[in-house]
């Protein structure tokens, strides 16, 4: 990272990945071309994320070809004028991570992954979860992404005095 003062730790990066409205997941197609798209991921522990999709399509084809994926997320993104020097800049919190994607085949893990997704995005509607599973489990794919190295965070934020916040100044 060019500006080490903006690098943040893995805990910060996981927080960004959790709070981002979506996470861009990048993959490689069988012809070697890149493929990336924004997905709604949910994290269940320090290394494990889940998403769901249709039973066929580009995502699953890419995963079968090359299971290595790259995650990228941004939160708190706001164009601003630098308070000290008047420069045009952008405040942000970002995170990246590398992982291995696998199509979940275990019935219980598939339900657990879907439950985690629903609890994260629709917690007030969990009373409908069992009916939804009964209707759609067999036509829904679940993918687990396991991080293969610690995620990296990066931040550019100014405090109330207009000073750029460096690593170690979390608030």
């Amino acid at each position: 990272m060019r500006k080490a003062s903006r690098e943040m730790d893995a805990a910060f990066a996981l927080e960004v990945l959790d709070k981002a409205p979506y996470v861009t997941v990048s993959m490689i197609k069988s012809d070697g071309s890149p493929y990336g798209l924004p997905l709604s991921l949910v994290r269940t522990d320090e290394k494990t994320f889940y998403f769901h999709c249709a039973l066929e399509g580009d995502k699953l084809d890419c995963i079968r070809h090359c299971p290595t994926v790259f995650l990228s997320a941004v939160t708190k993104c706001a164009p601003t004028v630098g308070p000290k020097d008047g420069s045009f800049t952008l405040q942000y919190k970002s995170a990246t991570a590398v992982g291995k994607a696998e199509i979940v085949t275990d019935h219980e893990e598939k339900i657990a992954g879907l439950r985690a997704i629903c609890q994260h995005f629709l917690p007030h509607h969990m009373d409908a979860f069992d009916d939804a599973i009964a209707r759609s489990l067999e036509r829904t794919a679940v993918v687990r992404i396991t991080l293969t190295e610690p995620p990296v965070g990066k931040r550019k934020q100014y405090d109330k005095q207009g000073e750029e916040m460096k690593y170690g100044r979390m608030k």
Side-chain angles (χ1 to χ4, degrees), residues 8-169:
M8 302 299 287
D9 62 16
F12 176 92
L14 289 172
E15 183 178 321
V16 170
L17 289 163
D18 289 342
K19 290 183 177 182
Y22 60 86
V23 176
T24 300
V25 180
S26 300
M27 309 171 210
I28 300 171
K29 289 184 171 186
S30 60
D31 66 3
S33 63
Y35 180 74
L37 67 165
L39 296 173
S40 299
L41 299 184
V42 65
R43 181 170 62 93
T44 58
D45 62 32
E46 297 300 304
K47 294 175 124 180
T48 310
F49 293 82
Y50 288 94
F51 70 87
H52 75 292
C53 59
L55 291 173
E56 57 185 43
D58 287 340
K59 287 186 289 295
L60 298 184
D61 292 344
C62 288
I63 290 166
R64 287 183 190 103
H65 167 70
C66 179
T68 300
V69 296
F70 183 80
L71 311 179
S72 175
V74 178
T75 63
K76 301 280 185 180
C77 188
T80 190
V81 175
K84 295 285 185 180
D85 62 5
S87 62
F88 293 101
T89 190
L90 188 68
Q91 293 189 80
Y92 61 87
K93 294 180 179 181
S94 67
T96 59
V98 176
K100 178 182 179 187
E102 297 175 88
I103 301 164
V104 175
T105 57
D106 178 77
H107 185 79
E108 296 305 315
E109 183 182 2
K110 191 173 174 181
I111 292 172
L114 290 168
R115 183 179 307 279
I117 292 166
C118 290
Q119 284 176 327
H120 182 77
F121 293 104
L122 293 167
H124 301 298
H125 298 281
M126 291 307 293
D127 56 332
F129 180 78
D130 290 333
D131 288 340
I133 288 297
R135 281 191 317 273
S136 62
L137 183 64
E138 298 309 316
R139 62 178 194 258
T140 304
V142 174
V143 175
R144 174 189 346 98
I145 297 173
T146 305
L147 299 186
T148 55
E149 53 191 69
V152 176
K154 188 174 177 183
R155 167 182 79 177
K156 182 174 186 180
Q157 299 276 276
Y158 293 102
D159 65 15
K160 291 179 182 177
Q161 290 73 41
E163 298 292 328
E164 186 175 345
M165 297 163 62
K166 306 295 183 187
Y167 183 74
R169 291 185 56 209

